[in-house]
Amino acid sequence: MAKGLGLTVLLALLPAALGQLNTAARVAGKKYFGTATNEFQFSDAPYLAELNNTQDFGQLTPANAMKWELTELVQGQFTFENASLVVEQARNHGQLLRGHTCVWHTQLPSWVSTGGFDKKTLLSVVDKHCSTVVGHFKGQMYSWDVVNEPFNEDGTFRETVFYNTTGTDYIESALRAAHHADPQTKLYINDYNIDGTGPKSDAMYNLVKSLKKKGVPIHGIGVQGHLVVGTVPTTIEENFRKFASLGVEIAITELDIRMETPATEALLAQQKEDYKTVISACKNVPACIGVTVWDWTDKYSWIPGVFPTEGAALPWDENLEKKPAYYGTLEAFLGH
Ligand code: 9MR
């Protein structure tokens, strides 16, 4: 009798569990569905309650706390308190973590960007930063975005202080330092507008190919996925297959699909289709191991701050209600 009742309860719960994003991603053979978050949002109780829901989120990325200006604002003085809050949050709920990010031209302290370092010194600065930050969280991170946004739209290298001073050597130094600091974590290069095929995706392909040829540790390509409703590329799956041919994994690392606001029913319906397109591409390519949204609710999206007439980019609205995009994601993972 008790046994029979247990089974009934289990069967009743099963569709509910399958009907959530991380569970569905796992059913589709992926490692996780996850979200970016900021530790200062943890005081928002309804937000935190959903963040704790591991049936929706099996992975967290700190949206800001591990960046250079948040971890080494002053040369040689490292601070990890805020980053540790995100790490603890994930650990308490058995969620995987993606580290973000060692080397990026934004949120970079001026002592680095205008420090006037020569090549050798800047490479040692990069080495020290990546070794220390990755080493601090050794054994706790599934992966790291070691280098973020190295390319221009035409596939040339972005002229940052790192590139201008060291050429592409900084990429190699950062990857080697990260690997030395935590040999188990998967090392990624991460960029936007490399979802579909095109010059920027070719540049990423060529960079990873040359790094692998040189024996530099590189394990993944992070496809950010900052997209616009109605303009999602049709070549995502083809592009993912090409990346996969390099023998690296792929993750969609910062997904959001924005629209002109206010949202209309038609735009929300198109957004649902667009989420389905992106998630299906990941589902269909085994090397695509997981998907992270760049926060899950429109309440905390970065978009309106940068594109004032746009927003509504995430699967939950600003009242934490699920949008059609949520169900599009689910349908894509479950294959209907
Ligand atoms: O979400 C981040 C936002 O809070 C910061 O103000 C912003 C600073 O540039 O960075 C945002 O995250 C970015 C990520 O680190 C890299 N890819 C683009 C993301 C959105 O700008």
Side-chain angles (χ1 to χ4, degrees):
M1 174 71 179
K3 202 172 163 194
L5 192 62
L7 190 64
T8 312
V9 170
L10 187 69
L11 285 175
L13 286 176
L14 205 55
L18 275 178
Q20 298 194 42
L21 303 184
N22 183 46
T23 316
R26 300 294 302 262
V27 168
K30 306 300 156 189
K31 288 190 175 15
Y32 59 80
F33 183 90
T35 183
T37 189
N38 283 297
E39 62 290 348
F40 53 81
Q41 296 160 203
F42 297 171
S43 56
D44 176 340
Y47 175 89
L48 186 64
E50 172 55 24
L51 190 72
N52 290 343
N53 176 5
T54 55
Q55 305 210 349
D56 273 326
F57 307 116
Q59 177 273 328
L60 301 184
T61 305
N64 288 291
M66 291 183 182
K67 290 171 176 173
W68 201 312
E69 76 174 7
L70 285 308
T71 52
E72 195 190 5
L73 182 59
V74 175
Q75 184 169 14
Q77 291 182 21
F78 288 87
T79 44
F80 295 113
E81 284 76 10
N82 289 348
S84 299
L85 294 174
V86 180
V87 171
E88 240 170 73
Q89 169 67 23
R91 195 191 310 129
N92 289 342
H93 298 88
Q95 291 157 317
L96 298 171
L97 279 155
R98 300 194 79 258
H100 178 85
T101 171
C102 294
V103 184
W104 190 29
H105 61 280
T106 306
Q107 291 172 288
L108 183 65
S110 57
W111 71 264
V112 185
S113 53
T114 59
F117 297 115
D118 62 19
K119 176 169 176 172
K120 190 166 167 239
T121 312
L122 188 58
L123 288 176
S124 76
V125 162
V126 166
D127 180 299
K128 168 88 173 162
H129 181 75
C130 292
S131 305
T132 308
V133 176
V134 174
H136 185 83
F137 295 107
K138 182 179 179 185
Q140 302 181 73
M141 312 302 289
Y142 169 71
S143 63
W144 261 100
D145 293 330
V146 178
V147 175
N148 197 37
E149 301 174 5
F151 294 114
N152 293 315
E153 294 308 292
D154 65 0
T156 55
F157 283 98
R158 190 191 285 273
E159 297 199 342
T160 65
V161 66
F162 303 110
Y163 182 73
N164 290 343
T165 312
T166 79
T168 55
D169 288 1
Y170 80 91
I171 298 175
E172 209 174 309
S173 291
L175 288 163
R176 288 194 194 280
H179 188 57
H180 195 243
D182 186 353
Q184 299 303 321
T185 193
K186 306 239 186 216
L187 307 183
Y188 278 63
I189 303 175
N190 190 48
D191 216 324
Y192 59 89
N193 288 348
I194 57 162
D195 317 275
T197 54
K200 203 172 180 182
S201 298
D202 288 345
M204 179 64 92
Y205 174 89
N206 290 331
L207 172 63
V208 170
K209 191 173 178 184
S210 78
L211 290 169
K212 286 198 72 123
K213 203 167 154 199
K214 283 197 239 171
V216 179
I218 174 74
H219 313 112
I221 295 176
V223 173
Q224 291 186 5
H226 293 298
L227 298 167
V228 176
V229 164
T231 70
V232 167
T234 53
T235 52
I236 301 177
E237 192 173 321
E238 178 190 342
N239 190 46
F240 282 12
R241 290 195 192 281
K242 190 172 168 202
F243 285 162
S245 72
L246 293 166
V248 292
E249 56 183 49
I250 300 153
I252 299 176
T253 54
E254 306 185 11
L255 182 61
D256 49 27
I257 312 185
R258 62 187 186 267
M259 61 180 73
E260 285 292 326
T261 47
T264 61
E265 243 175 67
L267 283 167
L268 290 169
Q270 180 61 49
Q271 185 182 47
K272 175 181 180 181
E273 290 312 306
D274 292 338
Y275 267 86
K276 275 180 102 162
T277 301
V278 175
I279 300 296
S280 299
C282 182
K283 184 189 176 196
N284 293 343
V285 180
C288 182
I289 55 94
V291 179
T292 307
V293 280
W294 206 241
D295 226 310
W296 51 272
T297 155
D298 293 333
K299 184 173 182 182
Y300 293 118
S301 173
W302 65 286
I303 304 259
V306 176
F307 303 103
T309 65
E310 295 173 73
L314 293 165
W316 280 259
D317 71 14
E318 62 280 5
N319 299 315
L320 316 189
E321 298 292 338
K322 291 173 182 168
K323 291 155 65 177
Y326 178 97
Y327 299 99
T329 303
L330 204 56
E331 286 170 23
F333 278 134
L334 297 177
H336 44 78

